Amino acid sequence: MTSEAGAAGARAAAPARKGWRLVLANLREPKVLVMLLLGFSSGIPIYLVGNTLGFWMRENGIELSTIGFLSWVGLAYSLKFLWAPLVDKLDAPVVGRWLGRRRGWMLLTQVVAAVALIGMALVEPRQGQLLLGGVALNQLLVFGALALVVAFASATQDIVIDAWRIESASNPEQQGLLTSTSTLGYRGALLVTDSLILILAAQAGWSLSYGAMAALMGVGVLATLIAREPAASLQAAAVPHPALFTLQGLFDALVGPFVAFFRQHGQWALLMLLTISLYRLPDFLFGPMANPFYADLGVAKETVGAVRGSFGLVATIAGVAAAGLTAVRFGFIPTLLAGAVLGPGSNLAFAYLAIHGNDPGVFTAAMVIDNFCNGYAGVALVGYMSSLTNVGYTATQYALLSSFYALLGKLLKGLSGVAVEHLALDRSLLEAYSLFFVGTALIGVPALVLCIVLALRRPPAAAG
C-alpha cells in the first residue's frame, strides 16, 4: 500500500517537475534578454513627454494651462491603432529591407525618438523666439513639436515591440514569460524617468538629463540589432496582400484585423472584449485619488517616494515575476483569473489604511500589496490580450486591444473626485475614502465573473 502511494505521488510530481523544467528552459532563451531590453526601451520616452516633462516646464515658469495643453501629445499612445495597419503591412523606409519588417520599424522609431529627445534638450521649454535657418520661431512651439515626435515614435515603437513579442514566442507558456520580462524592463525604465532623472536634473540640469535619456535609447538599438526577425513576421511578409493603397488593400489593412478577430473567436469575441474593458477598471478609478489620499492622510511626499522606490519596486518586480511564472506553468486563463481577484482586492488594503490612519507600517504594507497585485494583474491582462491576436494582423489587433482596455477607465476616472466628495457629505473624509476604495474593489466583480466564464468554457483559441 505504501509503495503504491509512493508510486502515485511520483507520477503526480512528474508533470510538476516537467513544468518547472520548461520554465527554466525558457529562461535560458536569448529572446528573453532581448525582450527585457526592448521593454526598457519602450518605457523610456513615455514620462519624458508626460509627468517628468511637466516638472521641467513648471520649473521654467511655463503656465499650468500650457502644460496641460502640451500633455495632449500623449494621445499618440491611445490612438496608435490608427496607423498600426501601416506597421503591419509596410516595411520601414531604408532599414526595413536590411533588418526585416519588425526590427526595421524598431530601429527607425528608436533613432527618431532619441534624436527628438536630443532636440528637446537643446531647445528647452522656454517662452521666446528661436532662430532656425534665419527664421524666427516660437521656442515653446518648436519644443512641443519635438515632444510630439517623441510620443509618435514611442507609440509606434510600442506597436512593433508588442508584435515582435507575440510573434517571437514559440508557445503560450513562453508568451507569458516574454510578457513578464517586457513588463519588468518597462517598469525599470519608468523608475529611471520618474525618479532617478529628478536626482540627475538637480545635479546636472534638465538638458543634460534629457540627453542622457536619449542615450539610453541605445539599449533598444542594441536589442534590435541582436534580436532575430520572428518567423511569423517573415511568413506574413511573404504572403501576397492586395496593394495597400487600393480599395481592397485598405479594406484588408483596416477592416481585415477586425474580421479575422471575430471569425477566429466567434461568439466569444464580444465576451473577450467586454472582459478586457472591465479588467483594470478598479485600478483606473482608484488612480486619480491615490496621491490626494496620501496628502489627506498626512503621509509626507518624501515617505511616499521612498516607499515607492524601495518596497514598492520590489513588490512590483515580484508581482510581475509571479505572473510570468504562473502563465508559463498554468496558462493564460488561470493567470487572468488570479489577476481578476488580486487587482481589485488590493484596493481593500487602502480602505483599511484610511480607517486605520497614518501608520508607516500599515502604509508600507498597503503599498506592497498594491504594487504586487497590480504588477501581477497587468502582466496577466497583457499576456491574455497577446494570445488573442492573429498572425498577419498582430500589430493592428494588439494595438487595438491595448487601446480598448483603457477606454472605459479613462472616461470614468475623471468622476472619482466627485464620488469621494459626495461620500464625504455625511461622513469624515477618510471614511469617504475608505468607502470609495471598497466600491472600486466591488467594481471588479463583473470582470471576475466574466473571467470565470472564460475559464469554464473557453474556446481553444483562448486556452492557456
Side-chain angles (χ1 to χ4, degrees):
M1 197 68 166
T2 304
S3 61
E4 292 178 359
R11 286 193 298 272
R17 289 196 299 269
K18 182 180 179 181
W20 290 114
R21 282 200 297 269
L22 179 61
V23 172
L24 294 175
N26 282 321
L27 282 172
R28 290 193 291 267
E29 289 268 4
K31 69 182 73 171
V32 174
L33 174 60
V34 171
M35 192 71 260
L36 179 68
L37 300 179
L38 289 176
F40 184 85
S41 178
S42 179
I44 285 292
I46 188 166
Y47 277 169
L48 299 180
V49 294
N51 294 351
T52 303
L53 177 59
F55 204 133
W56 184 10
M57 294 177 69
R58 191 57 177 165
E59 282 196 345
N60 282 5
I62 305 301
E63 295 178 352
L64 291 175
S65 58
T66 303
I67 295 173
F69 293 146
L70 195 57
S71 71
W72 282 340
V73 302
L75 286 173
Y77 294 97
S78 297
L79 299 175
K80 60 187 179 182
F81 66 90
L82 294 176
W83 61 90
L86 297 177
V87 177
D88 253 339
K89 301 300 180 184
L90 298 176
D91 291 335
V94 184
V95 292
R97 292 176 178 268
W98 171 41
L99 292 174
R101 182 163 297 172
R102 301 308 184 202
R103 295 169 67 224
W105 279 112
M106 280 187 212
L107 183 63
L108 179 63
T109 56
Q110 288 156 356
V111 171
V112 170
V115 170
L117 283 171
I118 293 172
M120 291 173 67
L122 295 175
V123 173
E124 298 190 52
R126 298 185 185 278
Q127 297 285 4
Q129 297 294 313
L130 185 69
L131 288 175
L132 288 178
V135 179
L137 300 173
N138 183 291
Q139 185 170 350
L140 196 56
L141 188 61
V142 174
F143 183 85
L146 289 167
L148 181 60
V149 172
V150 173
F152 183 80
S154 173
T156 307
Q157 180 191 214
D158 289 351
I159 293 170
V160 69
I161 287 178
D162 286 329
W164 185 90
R165 170 176 53 80
I166 294 167
E167 294 172 346
S168 293
S170 304
N171 50 62
E173 292 78 15
Q174 192 174 86
Q175 184 61 251
L177 186 60
L178 291 179
T179 299
S180 177
T181 306
S182 175
T183 304
L184 187 60
Y186 186 85
R187 293 280 183 171
L190 296 186
L191 177 65
V192 171
T193 56
D194 189 37
S195 299
L196 299 184
I197 191 175
L198 300 181
I199 300 173
L200 180 59
Q203 301 297 321
W206 282 107
S207 292
L208 184 60
S209 300
Y210 265 64
M213 297 304 105
L216 283 179
M217 291 300 298
V219 172
V221 173
L222 174 63
T224 298
L225 295 177
I226 63 177
R228 293 183 177 180
E229 186 72 4
S233 176
L234 295 172
Q235 293 169 2
V239 175
H241 290 281
L244 181 60
F245 299 107
T246 63
L247 186 61
Q248 185 180 358
L250 289 173
F251 179 88
D252 182 59
L254 299 176
V255 182
F258 305 99
V259 173
F261 182 84
F262 280 91
R263 181 182 295 133
Q264 178 183 1
H265 302 292
Q267 62 183 353
W268 292 88
L270 289 177
L271 179 65
M272 293 170 177
L273 292 176
L274 184 60
T275 303
I276 289 169
S277 68
L278 296 177
Y279 194 79
R280 300 307 306 276
L281 188 56
D283 187 50
F284 277 113
L285 295 178
F286 170 84
M289 291 297 100
N291 285 331
F293 168 60
Y294 303 148
D296 291 333
L297 190 63
V299 181
K301 59 179 177 293
E302 295 87 354
T303 302
V304 176
V307 173
R308 276 179 177 166
S310 55
F311 295 101
L313 176 62
V314 172
T316 297
I317 293 173
V320 167
L325 294 175
T326 303
V328 172
R329 182 63 185 87
F330 301 106
F332 289 121
I333 294 293
T335 305
L336 189 75
L337 184 58
V341 175
L342 292 174
S346 67
N347 292 13
L348 297 177
F350 289 97
Y352 175 77
L353 177 62
I355 297 299
H356 186 82
N358 184 2
D359 181 289
V362 176
F363 172 72
T364 300
M367 289 285 280
V368 167
I369 293 171
D370 181 63
N371 281 269
F372 177 88
C373 293
N374 281 291
Y376 188 102
V379 171
L381 181 60
V382 170
Y384 178 67
M385 290 192 299
S386 301
S387 72
L388 302 180
T389 60
N390 301 80
V391 172
Y393 298 115
T394 309
T396 303
Q397 288 184 342
Y398 189 83
L400 178 67
L401 291 173
S402 62
S403 298
F404 184 78
Y405 97 89
L407 182 60
L408 183 61
K410 287 184 176 180
L411 289 174
L412 294 180
K413 71 178 183 178
L415 301 175
S416 56
V418 176
V420 174
E421 290 176 352
H422 180 75
L423 292 171
L425 291 177
D426 54 356
R427 54 180 60 84
S428 72
L429 182 58
L430 290 181
E431 287 175 341
Y433 273 121
S434 182
L435 193 58
F436 173 74
F437 295 149
V438 171
T440 59
L442 292 177
I443 287 174
V445 171
L448 175 59
V449 172
L450 292 175
C451 287
I452 292 174
V453 173
L454 288 174
L456 292 176
R457 298 185 61 188
R458 62 184 186 271

